[in-house]
Amino acid sequence: MTPVLPWWMMPAAFWERHCTVRRKSIYSGIIPVVAQQLHRENIERVVKEALGTSGVSIPDLTAVATTVKPGLALSLGVGLQYSLGLVNKYQKPFIPIHHMEAHALTVRLTYQLEFPFLVLLLSGGHCLLAVAQGVSDFLLLGQTIDIAPGDMLDKVARRLSLRKHPECHSMAGGQAIEHLAQTGNRQQIMLRFPMQQYRSCDFSFSGLQNIVNNTITRKEKEEGIQEGEILSCVKDIAAAVQHTVTVHIMQRTYRAMVFCMKNSILSSKNATLVVSGGVASNQYIRKGLKTLADVNGFAFLCPSPRLCTDNGVMIAWNGIERLRVGLGVLHSTEGIRYEPKAPLGIDISKRVAEDSIKVPRLKKIIQLAS
């Protein structure tokens, strides 16, 4: 079967040549109108290069798969319009893709993994725990109630002015935090862990971000420097932030594991934790989650860092998965719309909270993360 064409499949070299604006604004985030314009300017060439690299032509394709939800409306619109143009011109089936569903299923591209499995998605725009029961069958256990961990780490990096740090000037925010944390002492900076009073699988990072900002302001006053200058304790702050985020994620994931086993949603014989999304590339977070999985008798799987971050391969793979089982393969493009906001699966987070599952004391989870 010929691979399905994702509208934004980009050869790595081409992507690098066209990410200058994104890299220059790595601490200020993506500007929607700029992203839209870059999409419009490059999408035609991207598709041609992807086809050329693959050695196929559009008539050879079985179908066209495209992200339609969730995401930036302006960018989704450009991709959808271009894709539908190809679909109508070449009379190909169209497969609309849910961005988070694609992240969740990417692991099945490189591992022989059967349903069901527990999946933790960590990125700059999302943070959720769900059970994947099928290609388009998910149970949502919990999600962030405010911002995502990647967003929070980027904002902390910006507040610390890490692009001025000699070791981090070319790194993205989360990457800079991880790099500096390696040689920092987290015990020098005490941060409060979020949502300790709530026995749910939901996450929260905005409160932690405020605490970190206040800590940075206090340290600047102690050192007599202005905002925008590099603190002498910057590595310690990075280590403390990374550790606190990791423990918070581990604690909610621990509860999800217990909930799934208690309610026979997963079997103890082949329980698996899959971690994906851009933040899953953080080795400290990944190590903590693997230790957690080992302790609870779960197999631990994580796509390669290249497949953890947003990529065209995962959209194509989700298209192939749907094509194989005949789910959401459309032969008419009438009424197709993009959706900037879209939930994943059936939300049972209230049921998780009602179970009020107590997990081991925070001290034990901190030890697992260390």
Side-chain angles (χ1 to χ4, degrees), residues 125-367:
H126 302 275
C127 182
L128 62 85
L129 277 160
V131 177
Q133 299 187 122
V135 171
S136 188
D137 184 5
F138 292 83
L139 297 177
L140 181 64
L141 306 180
Q143 60 188 323
T144 180
I145 62 173
D146 39 59
I147 63 175
D151 184 28
M152 181 258 181
L153 292 172
D154 284 345
K155 288 176 178 176
V156 170
R158 182 166 68 246
R159 180 63 182 83
L160 287 169
S161 301
L162 294 190
R163 60 182 170 183
K164 296 180 182 179
H165 196 286
E167 297 178 26
C168 308
H169 62 88
S170 62
M171 295 181 181
Q175 184 183 6
I177 293 289
E178 180 181 9
H179 173 75
L180 294 179
Q182 292 176 358
T183 50
N185 183 355
R186 63 175 176 80
Q187 295 179 333
Q188 294 297 316
I189 306 292
M190 301 306 296
L191 300 173
R192 188 169 70 248
F193 296 101
M195 300 186 75
Q196 289 302 296
Q197 69 274 36
Y198 299 105
R199 293 182 180 179
S200 70
C201 286
D202 288 330
F203 303 83
S204 175
F205 298 95
S206 62
L208 176 58
Q209 182 192 324
N210 290 334
I211 291 172
V212 174
N213 287 343
N214 292 336
T215 299
I216 294 171
T217 299
R218 186 176 72 253
K219 289 296 182 180
E220 287 171 342
K221 289 181 180 179
E222 291 176 3
E223 295 190 11
I225 66 173
Q226 299 294 316
E227 179 175 339
E229 297 181 66
I230 303 297
L231 285 164
S232 64
C233 61
V234 64
K235 293 184 177 181
D236 296 338
I237 293 176
V241 170
Q242 178 177 256
H243 179 74
T244 305
V245 167
T246 300
V247 171
H248 178 47
I249 291 171
M250 288 176 64
Q251 189 176 46
R252 316 318 271 187
T253 305
Y254 206 139
R255 181 171 289 111
M257 290 175 167
V258 175
F259 175 83
C260 288
M261 302 306 290
K262 174 187 173 185
N263 291 279
S264 300
I265 296 174
L266 296 176
S267 169
S268 58
K269 294 181 180 179
N270 56 1
T272 301
L273 171 64
V274 171
V275 183
S276 191
V279 177
S281 298
N282 182 294
Q283 294 302 307
Y284 188 86
I285 294 175
R286 188 182 292 206
K287 179 184 176 183
L289 289 167
K290 185 181 187 308
T291 302
L292 180 65
D294 292 342
V295 167
N296 286 280
F298 275 62
F300 179 83
L301 294 177
C302 189
S304 67
R306 180 178 65 87
L307 294 177
C308 276
T309 53
D310 288 347
N311 63 87
V313 174
M314 74 180 193
I315 306 303
W317 174 249
N318 198 186
I320 291 172
E321 289 257 51
R322 284 177 163 272
L323 196 63
R324 284 174 175 170
V325 295
L327 279 175
V329 182
L330 308 179
H331 296 276
S332 171
T333 58
E334 184 177 354
I336 295 175
R337 300 285 185 274
Y338 59 81
E339 301 174 46
K341 294 184 178 181
L344 177 68
I346 299 172
D347 189 346
I348 62 168
S349 57
K350 288 185 178 180
R351 180 181 161 194
V352 176
E354 287 169 358
D355 270 20
S356 189
I357 295 171
K358 185 178 181 180
V359 297
R361 296 182 63 179
L362 193 60
K363 184 177 181 181
K364 180 178 179 180
I365 297 178
I366 291 173
Q367 290 174 343

Side-chain angles (χ1 to χ4, degrees), residues 3-15:
V4 182
L5 172 68
W7 68 263
W8 52 296
M9 177 80 81
M10 298 185 180
F14 180 78
W15 173 253

